[in-house]
């Protein structure tokens, strides 16, 4: 157990639907990062939150949104799902906002859009 | 792009042999990290090396960093079948980078045969 908890582990849903992925960071970590891993794109950075504030956006589609709550857990919302959104979605956490001491990754949520 | 590139894409060796994976990147960095991923599972942080360091060891792992050549190598000594996994290098920081995010390569798939 890495200390970063992601739920659910697996999700199968139909095109056009909306899902919410949840991440609880490791205790004491203020930053949460979301990454998408697909066969064709590899590991892509989506978004970074630090202590409730959005710090950086990467290749995140407009159909996707995220937030970090006061208790520091984060949710990634994916809407109007397409087949191409099928991927592993990882959450990572770090102590500060620069990852100077490394990152801890969760075990991921595998999303399958059918 | 700051994204790292691993070489080789795939490596197949016998138990007991050493495995060497290389990573190249294009811009300056603050640190470089290596991660391991068992098939379809979460990313496990292996080792972090800062830009002012040249070599680090952790158990059977040895990482080197050559900032003049913008390259790093990961050596796994006396490999075991349980080392079979994908190995990713990821860079952080540096000119033009997004603060806090990791830039991943496409990974090296290591297979260790018993």
């Amino acid at each position: 157990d890495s200390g970063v908890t992601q739920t659910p582990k697996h999700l199968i849903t139909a095109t056009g639907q909306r899902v919410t992925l949840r991440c609880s960071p490791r205790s004491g970590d203020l930053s949460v990062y979301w990454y998408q891993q697909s066969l064709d794109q590899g590991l892509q950075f989506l978004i970074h939150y630090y202590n409730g504030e959005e710090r950086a956006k990467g290749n995140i589609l407009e159909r996707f949104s995220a937030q970090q709550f006061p208790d520091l857990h984060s949710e990634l919302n994916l809407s109007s799902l397409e087949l191409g959104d099928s991927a592993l979605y990882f959450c990572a956490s770090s102590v500060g906002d620069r990852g100077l001491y490394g990152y801890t990754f969760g075990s991921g949520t595998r999303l399958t859009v059918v | 792009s700051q994204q790292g590139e691993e070489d080789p894409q795939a490596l197949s060796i016998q138990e007991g042999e050493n495995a060497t994976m290389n990573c190249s990147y294009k811009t300056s960095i603050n640190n470089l990290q290596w991660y391991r991923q068992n098939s379809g599972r979460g990313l496990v942080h292996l080792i972090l090396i800062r830009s002012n360091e040249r070599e680090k060891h952790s158990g059977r792992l040895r990482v080197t960093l050559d900032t003049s050549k913008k390259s790093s190598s990961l050596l796994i000594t006396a490999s075991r079948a349980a080392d079979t996994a994908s190995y990713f290098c990821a860079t952080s920081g540096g000119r033009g980078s997004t603060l806090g995010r990791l830039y991943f390569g496409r990974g090296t798939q290591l297979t260790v045969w018993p």
Side-chain angles (χ1 to χ4, degrees):
Chain A
D1 181 10
S2 68
V4 176
T5 304
Q6 287 191 250
T7 57
K9 291 194 184 308
H10 301 276
L11 203 47
I12 302 175
T13 190
T15 54
Q17 295 297 306
R18 172 189 169 95
V19 297
T20 297
L21 313 183
R22 182 188 169 102
C23 168
S24 293
R26 193 179 61 158
S27 179
D29 287 355
L30 299 180
S31 274
V32 169
Y33 309 79
W34 287 96
Y35 287 83
Q36 177 195 59
Q37 185 181 34
S38 61
L39 282 175
D40 54 342
Q41 296 290 326
L43 275 153
Q44 297 289 313
F45 167 73
L46 296 178
I47 198 162
H48 169 205
Y49 280 87
Y50 175 76
N51 204 20
E53 293 185 0
E54 180 184 304
R55 281 299 178 95
K57 267 186 174 179
N59 301 322
I60 187 166
L61 300 171
E62 286 192 9
R63 301 183 285 108
F64 296 0
S65 65
Q67 54 183 326
Q68 186 180 28
F69 295 87
D71 67 352
L72 302 177
H73 91 272
S74 177
E75 293 181 356
L76 177 67
N77 300 295
L78 315 177
S79 61
S80 303
L81 285 167
E82 302 174 359
L83 295 177
D85 298 326
S86 296
L88 260 174
Y89 291 84
F90 287 109
C91 163
S93 71
S94 67
V95 172
D97 61 351
R98 296 170 187 251
L100 295 178
Y101 304 100
Y103 303 76
T104 303
F105 279 79
S107 56
T109 293
R110 181 173 292 282
L111 173 67
T112 303
V113 182
V114 297
Chain B
S1 166
Q2 192 173 12
Q3 190 169 13
E5 292 183 11
E6 290 92 342
D7 172 66
Q9 287 187 323
L11 181 60
S12 185
I13 59 175
Q14 294 287 131
E15 264 192 332
E17 294 181 341
N18 294 341
T20 300
M21 288 159 269
N22 302 297
C23 170
S24 61
Y25 56 92
K26 294 182 180 174
T27 67
S28 62
I29 59 172
N30 285 342
N31 63 64
L32 185 144
Q33 303 171 36
W34 285 90
Y35 288 84
R36 165 196 166 120
Q37 183 180 33
N38 286 66
S39 180
R41 307 192 64 151
L43 289 155
V44 175
H45 180 258
L46 295 177
I47 200 163
L48 180 154
I49 186 166
R50 303 189 193 289
S51 60
N52 61 352
E53 298 175 310
R54 292 297 167 257
E55 188 170 310
K56 281 189 89 167
H57 296 257
S58 177
R60 293 184 295 113
L61 305 180
R62 173 178 169 252
V63 169
T64 62
L65 179 65
D66 187 335
T67 53
S68 66
K69 295 181 179 178
K70 293 186 171 58
S71 67
S72 173
S73 68
L74 170 67
L75 168 67
I76 304 175
T77 60
S79 62
R80 306 165 182 167
D83 294 327
T84 295
S86 292
Y87 292 82
F88 294 88
C89 72
T91 57
S92 177
R95 183 184 303 174
S97 68
T98 299
L99 188 68
R101 73 168 277 187
L102 283 171
Y103 295 79
F104 282 92
R106 297 304 294 261
T108 292
Q109 173 60 50
L110 172 66
T111 303
V112 182
W113 298 98

